[in-house]
C-alpha cells in the first residue's frame, strides 16, 4: 500500500464538499447604457421615446436600458423589411443568400463566449448551458439552413417555392438567442425579410446579434429587431405589411394571435406550451433514466416548453427511482449563472417566480407531497429550489398546467396502456420521453403518444435537422429540418405542373 493509499484509507468520508468558485469572466461583454431599435440596418431612437431597464435576474441589477417600440416604430420596421424584400433581397441569388447565412454562423462561433456570457447575464441560465447548448445550436441552425438556401427547388420538387415576403417573429425569454436562430435562419434561407420581437426580459442577445448582422454585411432592412413588451408584439401581429407570423410563447397569447389573424390570409405558426410526460418502464437503465429525468426538468430551471415536467414511473420501480432522484437532487448546484459549476441558475423574472410559487402552493394545497433538497438561496435575485412532487393526482393543477419552473410532478402507472392514457391526458402535445430497453416498446409508445417530439432513452436533445413542434394546445407548424422551411415559402404547384 502506498503512502497516499494509506492516507486515503484513513480519511473520513468528506461531508459538505464544496466546489471552488469558477466564474466565467464577465468583461468579454461590453454593454451600452441604452439601446435603440434595429431598423434598416441601424440602431435608431424609438419614436415612442420610451425605454425600460433590463435586468440580471440573478442579482436584480439593471444591465442597460432598452427601447419600447410603439406602433410607429413597428410600422417603420415593417416598412424597412418590405423595402429590403422588394428592392434587393428577393433578387439576391440563392448561393449569395447562403453566403450571408454561413457568415452569420461563423461569426456566432467566433463570438460564442461573448454570446454565452451575455445570455447567462440577461436570462439567468447557467453558463455551461448557454456555452454548450444555446450558442453552438444557434450557430448550427444558421449552418444548416445556409445549406438549404440554394437547394429549395430540390427540397420541394415541382412546387416552385418562393418566399412569402415579410415575416413577423415573436420569441420568448427561455432561449433568446436559440429561438431567434430557429426563426431567422429558415426565414432568410427561404428569401424572406424579418421583423423580430424579442421578449421584454431578455432583449440583449438579440441586440448583440444586430452587431453580427452588421459584421456579416447583411443588407440593411433584411432583419429588423424591435424590442419592447407584449404591446410591440401585438402591433407586429396586426400590421398589414406582415405576410407571416411565427410565434413561440404561451398558449394564451398564441390563441389571441390566432384569433387576431383569422380571416386575414396571413400565414401563422405557433409553438406554445407543453406538459410532457417522461415515462420510465421497469426495464429501463435506472441511473441513466434518473439523469434523463433531471435533465428533462431542471435544465434551464425548467423554463423549457418541452420540459419533462410530469414523471410517469412504473409502479414496480417507484421506490428506487424516487430514492435515486432525491439523492441526485442533493448534488445539484444552484447559484451564480456565470459560475461554470452551476447546474441550476436564476428564475428569469419576478413574474415567473411568482407564477411558480403560486402553482407550487396549489400542489401542496391539493394534497401532493413536496420534496426540496437542502439548498441555500442567494439573498438577491429570483431563485427557486429544484422541487419534486409525489402523490400527485392527474387532476391537480401541477399535473395539468405548465409551471415553466424547476418543479417535477410524479405519477405512477402499471401497464403501457395506462402510461399512454395518462401521458396524453393534458391539453398539450409537444413532447414526451420513453425509457425502456425494448425497441419494440419504444416504437409502439411513439405511435400512441400524442406529442410532436418523442425522445427514447434520452431527453432534451435538439438538432437543426430535426423538426420540432406540437399537437393540440402546443400549437401547429414545425421548426427545424426541411419542415421548418415550408412555413416561409409559398408554392406555385399548378404553374409548375403546367409548364
Ligand atoms: P408570452 O406568451 O406572453 O410571451 C412570449 C412572447 O410574446 C414575448 O415576446 C411577449 O412579449 C410576446 N407577447 C406578449 N403578449 C403579446 C401579444 N398580445 N401579442 C403578441 N405578442 C405578445 O409568455 P410570458 O413571457 O408572459 O410567459 C407566460 C407563460 O407562458 C410562462 O409562465 C410559460 O408557462 C409560458 N411560456 C411558454 C413558452 C414556450 O416556449 N412554450 C415560452 C415562454 C413562456 P413580452 O416578453 O414583452 O411579454
Amino acid at each position: 500500500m502506498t503512502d497516499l493509499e494509506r492516507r486515503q484509507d484513513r480519511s473520513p468520508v468528506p461531508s459538505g464538499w464544496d466546489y471552488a468558485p469558477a466564474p466565467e469572466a464577465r468583461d468579454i461583454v461590453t454593454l451600452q447604457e441604452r439601446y435603440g431599435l434595429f431598423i434598416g440596418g441601424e440602431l435608431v431612437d424609438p419614436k415612442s421615446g420610451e425605454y425600460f431597464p433590463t435586468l440580471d435576474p440573478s442579482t436584480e441589477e439593471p444591465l442597460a436600458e432598452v427601447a419600447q417600440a410603439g406602433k410607429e416604430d413597428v410600422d417603420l420596421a415593417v416598412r424597412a423589411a418590405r423595402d429590403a424584400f422588394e428592392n434587393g433581397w428577393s433578387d439576391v441569388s440563392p448561393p449569395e443568400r447562403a453566403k450571408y447565412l454561413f457568415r452569420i454562423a461563423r461569426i456566432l462561433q467566433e463570438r460564442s463566449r461573448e454570446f454565452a456570457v451575455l445570455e447567462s447575464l440577461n436570462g439567468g441560465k447557467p453558463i455551461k448551458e448557454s456555452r454548450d447548448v444555446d450558442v453552438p445550436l444557434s450557430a448550427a441552425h444558421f449552418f444548416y439552413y445556409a445549406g438549404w438556401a440554394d437547394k429549395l427547388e430540390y427540397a420541394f420538387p415541382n412546387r416552385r417555392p418562393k418566399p412569402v415576403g415579410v415575416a413577423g417573429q415573436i420569441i420568448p425569454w427561455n432561449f433568446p438567442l436559440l429561438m431567434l436562430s430557429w426563426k431567422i435562419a429558415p426565414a432568410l434561407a427561404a428569401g424572406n425579410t424579418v421583423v423580430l420581437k424579442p421578449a421584454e426580459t431578455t432583449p440583449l442577445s438579440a441586440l448583440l446579434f444586430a452587431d453580427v448582422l452588421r459584421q456579416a454585411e447583411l443588407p440593411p432592412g433584411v432583419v429588423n429587431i424591435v424590442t419592447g413588451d407584449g404591446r410591440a408584439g401585438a402591433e407586429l401581429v396586426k400590421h398589414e405589411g406582415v405576410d407571416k407570423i411565427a410565434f413561440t410563447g404561451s398558449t394564451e397569447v398564441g390563441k389571441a394571435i390566432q384569433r387576431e389573424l383569422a380571416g386575414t390570409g396571413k400565414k401563422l405558426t405557433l409553438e406554445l406550451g407543453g406538459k410532457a410526460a417522461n415515462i420510465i418502464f421497469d426495464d429501463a437503465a435506472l441511473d441513466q433514466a434518473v439523469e434523463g429525468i433531471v435533465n428533462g426538468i431542471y435544465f434551464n430551471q425548467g423554463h423549457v416548453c418541452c420540459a419533462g415536467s410530469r414523471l410517469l414511473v412504473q409502479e414496480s420501480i417507484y421506490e428506487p427511482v424516487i430514492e435515486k432522484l432525491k439523492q441526485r437532487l442533493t448534488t445539484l448546484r444552484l447559484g451564480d449563472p456565470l459560475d461554470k459549476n452551476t447546474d441550476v441558475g436564476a428564475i428569469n423574472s419576478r413574474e415567473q417566480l411568482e407564477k411558480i410559487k403560486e402553482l407550487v402552493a396549489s400542489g401542496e394545497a391539493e394534497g401532493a407531497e413536496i420534496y426540496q433538497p437542502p439548498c441555500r438561496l442567494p439573498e438577491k435575485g429570483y431563485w427557486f429550489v429544484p422541487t419534486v412532487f409525489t402523490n400527485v393526482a392527474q387532476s391537480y393543477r401541477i399535473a395539468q398546467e405548465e409551471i415553466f419552473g424547476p418543479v417535477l410532478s410524479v405519477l405512477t402507472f402499471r401497464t403501457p396502456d395506462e402510461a399512454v392514457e395518462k401521458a396524453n391526458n393534458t391539453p398539450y402535445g409537444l413532447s414526451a420521453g420513453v425509457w425502456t430497453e425494448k425497441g419494440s416498446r419504444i416504437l409502439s409508445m411513439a405511435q400512441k403518444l400524442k406529442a410532436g417530439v418523442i425522445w427514447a432513452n434520452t431527453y432534451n436533445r435538439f438538432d437543426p435537422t430535426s423538426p420540432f413542434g406540437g399537437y393540440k394546445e402546443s400549437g401547429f407548424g414545425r421548426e427545424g429540418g426541411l419542415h421548418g422551411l415550408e412555413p416561409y415559402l409559398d408554392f406555385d404547384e399548378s404553374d409548375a405542373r403546367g409548364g
Side-chain angles (χ1 to χ4, degrees):
M1 203 186 256
T2 64
D3 271 1
L4 181 64
E5 281 167 335
R6 222 171 275 125
R7 269 206 308 279
Q8 282 182 339
D9 203 35
R10 278 199 305 267
S11 33
V13 180
S15 62
W17 274 87
D18 230 340
Y19 281 71
E24 178 65 70
R26 185 184 156 153
D27 55 10
I28 192 160
V29 169
T30 310
L31 289 171
Q32 297 177 24
E33 267 179 38
R34 189 175 246 207
Y35 289 87
L37 305 165
F38 186 66
I39 298 179
E42 284 174 48
L43 282 174
V44 297
D45 293 339
K47 300 279 180 208
S48 71
E50 277 181 54
Y51 292 86
F52 62 92
T54 184
L55 309 178
D56 172 349
S58 71
T59 59
E60 298 171 63
E61 275 167 28
L63 294 170
E65 284 206 331
V66 177
Q68 166 68 44
K71 186 175 177 166
E72 207 182 334
D73 299 301
V74 171
D75 183 52
L76 283 174
V78 174
R79 282 172 195 276
R82 173 65 55 197
D83 190 44
F85 181 71
E86 280 168 8
N87 302 311
W89 186 242
S90 47
D91 297 330
V92 170
S93 71
E96 276 296 307
R97 272 205 319 265
K99 269 200 234 170
Y100 286 111
L101 288 164
F102 277 123
R103 267 189 216 163
I104 293 169
R106 282 196 298 270
I107 297 168
L108 280 176
Q109 286 185 323
E110 280 161 17
R111 300 180 69 173
S112 58
R113 239 184 95 212
E114 195 181 351
F115 270 102
V117 171
L118 185 60
E119 202 71 327
S120 286
L121 261 182
N122 198 198
K125 63 173 68 196
I127 185 79
K128 70 178 175 196
E129 291 179 9
S130 37
R131 182 195 61 197
D132 298 346
V133 181
D134 297 60
V135 179
L137 266 179
S138 300
H141 269 267
F142 278 98
F143 275 122
Y144 174 73
Y145 281 111
W148 278 122
D150 59 354
K151 302 174 194 69
L152 299 177
E153 296 284 346
Y154 304 96
F156 304 102
N158 297 323
R159 296 181 68 191
R160 296 212 177 164
K162 49 180 198 257
V164 168
V166 175
Q169 306 182 320
I170 300 168
I171 55 172
W173 40 261
N174 51 346
F175 294 93
L177 182 69
L178 186 59
M179 290 302 105
L180 171 154
S181 308
W182 279 28
K183 299 263 180 299
I184 293 183
L188 296 192
N192 302 276
T193 57
V194 164
V195 178
L196 176 100
K197 209 294 278 177
E200 179 186 359
T201 55
T202 53
L204 293 180
S205 55
L207 292 165
L208 184 60
F209 183 78
D211 197 46
V212 169
L213 299 178
R214 186 194 51 74
Q215 243 183 304
E217 296 176 359
L218 188 77
V222 172
V223 172
N224 306 273
I225 299 172
V226 288
T227 50
D229 61 19
R231 289 172 295 165
E235 291 299 341
L236 185 57
V237 168
K238 61 180 182 226
H239 197 292
E240 285 182 357
V242 171
D243 302 297
K244 186 231 159 13
I245 290 288
F247 172 81
T248 300
S250 63
T251 296
E252 188 192 347
V253 174
K255 283 181 180 173
I257 291 177
Q258 194 172 12
R259 277 194 296 271
E260 177 75 38
L261 294 192
T264 62
K266 283 183 201 170
K267 281 169 98 90
L268 174 65
T269 42
L270 296 175
E271 201 269 272
L272 310 174
K275 192 72 190 173
N278 205 358
I279 305 168
I280 321 288
F281 284 98
D282 60 5
D283 61 346
L286 287 198
D287 289 329
Q288 274 138 293
V290 168
E291 285 310 304
I293 298 165
V294 168
N295 173 265
I297 184 64
Y298 304 114
F299 172 64
N300 200 26
Q301 295 74 248
H303 300 330
V304 184
C305 47
C306 51
S309 52
R310 283 182 305 148
L311 175 64
L312 299 192
V313 192
Q314 198 153 21
E315 233 173 60
S316 49
I317 51 161
Y318 175 79
E319 273 163 24
V321 167
I322 298 304
E323 197 186 311
K324 279 174 190 281
L325 179 61
K326 286 182 176 172
Q327 172 57 32
R328 180 68 177 88
L329 249 61
T330 62
T331 66
L332 289 179
R333 294 175 295 263
L334 177 146
D336 181 6
L338 285 187
D339 192 310
K340 285 169 244 168
N341 290 323
T342 293
D343 298 308
V344 180
I347 299 302
N348 184 265
S349 64
R350 185 183 295 283
E351 290 73 34
Q352 190 58 29
L353 181 59
E354 294 308 322
K355 181 182 166 188
I356 296 169
K357 285 183 177 166
E358 194 267 320
L359 273 157
V360 165
S362 83
E364 287 188 276
E366 285 188 291
E369 201 171 301
I370 189 168
Y371 172 78
Q372 295 178 318
C375 179
R376 201 160 16 131
L377 298 182
E379 275 165 23
K380 293 213 100 186
Y382 315 129
W383 304 94
F384 201 82
V385 182
T387 299
V388 176
F389 272 114
T390 49
N391 213 5
V392 178
Q394 288 188 79
S395 58
Y396 291 177
R397 286 181 64 202
I398 54 168
Q400 287 292 326
E401 293 181 33
E402 187 177 44
I403 302 176
F404 228 60
V407 182
L408 179 67
S409 301
V410 184
L411 299 108
T412 58
F413 66 92
R414 287 184 185 168
T415 63
D417 283 348
E418 190 187 346
V420 169
E421 204 178 308
K422 285 186 168 164
N424 289 340
N425 184 19
T426 76
Y428 297 108
L430 191 55
S431 57
V434 180
W435 297 80
T436 169
E437 67 162 22
K438 292 191 185 65
S440 56
R441 181 175 278 164
I442 291 169
L443 294 175
S444 127
M445 292 295 288
Q447 279 181 338
K448 294 174 193 157
L449 291 169
K450 289 248 171 332
V453 181
I454 296 165
W455 286 288
N457 294 328
T458 186
Y459 207 90
N460 272 342
R461 292 265 173 172
F462 302 98
D463 189 296
T465 64
S466 180
F468 183 94
Y471 290 103
K472 302 195 286 185
E473 293 205 3
S474 292
F476 50 79
R478 295 291 178 265
E479 296 186 298
L482 201 51
H483 300 68
L485 284 167
E486 281 199 54
Y488 291 101
L489 290 167
D490 275 334
F491 298 99
D492 198 351
E493 286 160 277
S494 58
D495 190 33
R497 281 197 205 100

